[in-house]
């Protein structure tokens, strides 16, 4: 009998340059990595709702694009893990770069006049995205993509820490929660890569539902999706505070945070 990891499914043999630790086609014949796929829902549904709320609040369109960029990553990641096809891998990885560029623009332009546009920064980020895309299409090395993405994340972290340290210290809790959740996801992602054989062996001795908890790449999706969502929320709160609005975080169903604008300028 072939090892469980070698099962064949609807999408055929993987063509992607990466095949993660979750055993292929175990849960569903139509989904290569079931848990790695469905865990992307946190990167799809909440950001779409966030984009709708941001539009309703009348805030700048770039924040709507930030939410939709995160949702695009979720859709791409869903497609990649469902099929393990190279084209779908690109649909996952390249939007990570593009959406993070939108995040960078938002957080670095948070202290500018309303509806102002920094064409130089847009051009710089666009050039960066084009270079990364062209190089990655020619040089199919996942580490290159990971390093480029890490550089963008580092820019976000430095900027956010500066703002909550020197400008709006009352936002430290939100900033550090976002950062901690994201870093925890990164730690689990590395554990999943390094200890894959041990994790797979452990799953064989556990009931399926319990074994699903050991799908650490799925936890990476959940935690980084939540961390990214909280980052956008932080960016929105910084911006709306600077514009002298009255931003307030409310919890939908008592659990999920969304930003509401109580009123427009007070002075």
């Amino acid at each position: 009998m072939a090892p469980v990891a070698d099962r064949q499914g609807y999408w055929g043999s993987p063509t992607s340059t990466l095949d993660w630790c979750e055993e292929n086609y175990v849960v569903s014949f139509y989904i290569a990595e079931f848990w790695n796929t469905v865990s992307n829902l946190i990167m799809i549904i909440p950001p779409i709702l966030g984009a709708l709320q941001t539009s309703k609040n009348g805030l700048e369109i770039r924040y709507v694009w930030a939410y939709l960029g995160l949702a695009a990553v979720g859709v791409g990641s869903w497609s990649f893990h469902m099929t393990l096809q190279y084209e779908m891998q690109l649909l996952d990885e390249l939007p990570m770069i593009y959406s993070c560029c939108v995040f960078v623009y938002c957080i670095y332009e948070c202290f500018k006049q309303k509806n102002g546009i920094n064409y130089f920064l847009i051009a710089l980020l666009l050039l960066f995205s084009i270079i990364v895309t062209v190089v990655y299409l020619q040089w199919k090395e996942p580490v290159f993509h990971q390093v480029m993405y890490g550089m963008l994340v580092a820019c976000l972290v430095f900027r956010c820490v500066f703002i909550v340290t020197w400008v709006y210290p009352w936002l430290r809790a939100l900033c550090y929660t976002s950062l901690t959740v994201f870093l925890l996801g990164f730690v689990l992602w590395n554990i999943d890569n390094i200890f894959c054989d041990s994790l797979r062996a452990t799953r064989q001795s556990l009931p399926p539902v319990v074994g699903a908890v050991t799908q650490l790449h799925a936890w990476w999706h959940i935690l980084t999706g939540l961390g990214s969502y909280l980052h956008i929320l932080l960016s929105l709160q910084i911006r709306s505070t600077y514009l002298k609005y009255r931003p307030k975080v409310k919890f939908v169903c008592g659990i999920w945070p969304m930003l509401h604008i109580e009123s427009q300028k007070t002075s």
Side-chain angles (χ1 to χ4, degrees):
M1 181 180 294
V4 70
D6 293 333
R7 290 182 183 178
Q8 293 298 305
Y10 180 80
W11 302 99
S13 299
T15 61
S16 57
T17 61
L18 294 169
D19 190 349
W20 304 99
C21 190
E22 182 178 354
E23 298 85 346
N24 299 342
Y25 296 107
V26 171
V27 177
S28 171
F29 175 76
Y30 298 98
I31 301 178
E33 296 177 345
F34 181 83
W35 299 110
N36 286 351
T37 298
V38 299
S39 58
N40 285 291
L41 285 173
I42 196 171
M43 283 194 282
I44 300 174
I45 297 176
I48 290 175
L49 297 177
L52 292 173
Q53 182 62 44
T54 300
S55 179
K56 179 181 177 181
N57 287 337
L59 298 174
E60 291 149 311
I61 192 66
R62 60 178 180 254
Y63 295 98
V64 175
W65 283 115
Y67 275 125
L68 293 181
L70 180 58
V73 173
V75 171
S77 184
W78 177 293
S79 303
F80 170 34
H81 291 286
M82 182 175 68
T83 66
L84 290 180
Q85 299 300 298
Y86 176 68
E87 294 79 8
M88 298 300 104
Q89 179 182 348
L90 294 178
L91 194 63
D92 171 19
E93 293 176 330
L94 291 178
M96 290 173 64
I97 299 295
Y98 307 151
S99 62
C100 210
C101 283
V102 178
F103 296 174
V104 169
Y105 183 84
C106 288
I107 201 66
Y108 278 86
E109 288 296 294
C110 60
F111 298 127
K112 301 295 178 65
Q113 64 180 358
K114 185 176 180 181
N115 295 320
I117 300 176
N118 187 335
Y119 291 102
F120 175 77
L121 182 55
I122 290 176
L124 188 64
L125 292 169
L126 182 60
L127 179 62
F128 178 84
S129 298
I130 292 173
I131 292 174
V132 171
T133 300
V134 172
V135 172
Y136 193 46
L137 289 176
Q138 298 299 317
W139 184 35
K140 300 177 177 62
E141 174 52 64
V143 174
F144 168 76
H145 169 268
Q146 293 159 10
V147 170
M148 295 299 102
Y149 179 68
M151 289 172 55
L152 292 172
V153 171
C155 291
L156 293 175
V157 171
F158 291 144
R159 177 66 166 173
C160 289
V161 170
F162 172 82
I163 291 173
V164 301
T165 300
W166 301 104
V167 186
Y168 297 143
W170 59 88
L171 292 177
R172 286 178 184 173
L174 180 55
C175 175
Y176 291 127
T177 298
S178 170
L179 180 58
T180 300
V181 169
F182 193 96
L183 287 177
L184 178 58
F186 180 69
V187 169
L188 294 182
W189 179 81
N190 279 283
I191 293 174
D192 191 66
N193 291 337
I194 297 170
F195 300 103
C196 179
D197 291 340
S198 298
L199 289 168
R200 286 188 169 189
T202 300
R203 288 181 202 130
Q204 301 306 309
S205 61
L206 295 173
V209 176
V210 178
V213 178
T214 69
Q215 301 290 354
L216 300 187
H217 193 87
W219 282 108
W220 149 261
H221 290 159
I222 293 169
L223 293 173
T224 56
L226 175 58
S228 298
Y229 179 93
L230 292 176
H231 167 78
I232 299 173
L233 201 65
L234 172 66
S235 186
L236 272 168
Q237 197 155 14
I238 291 170
R239 179 60 173 163
S240 54
T241 299
Y242 174 76
L243 292 175
K244 294 183 169 53
Y245 295 167
R246 294 174 60 190
K248 184 175 182 180
V249 176
K250 295 183 178 180
F251 290 85
V252 178
C253 299
I255 56 172
W256 193 261
M258 295 186 72
L259 190 73
H260 293 256
I261 300 299
E262 298 295 315
S263 68
Q264 297 296 321
K265 282 187 177 181
T266 58
S267 62

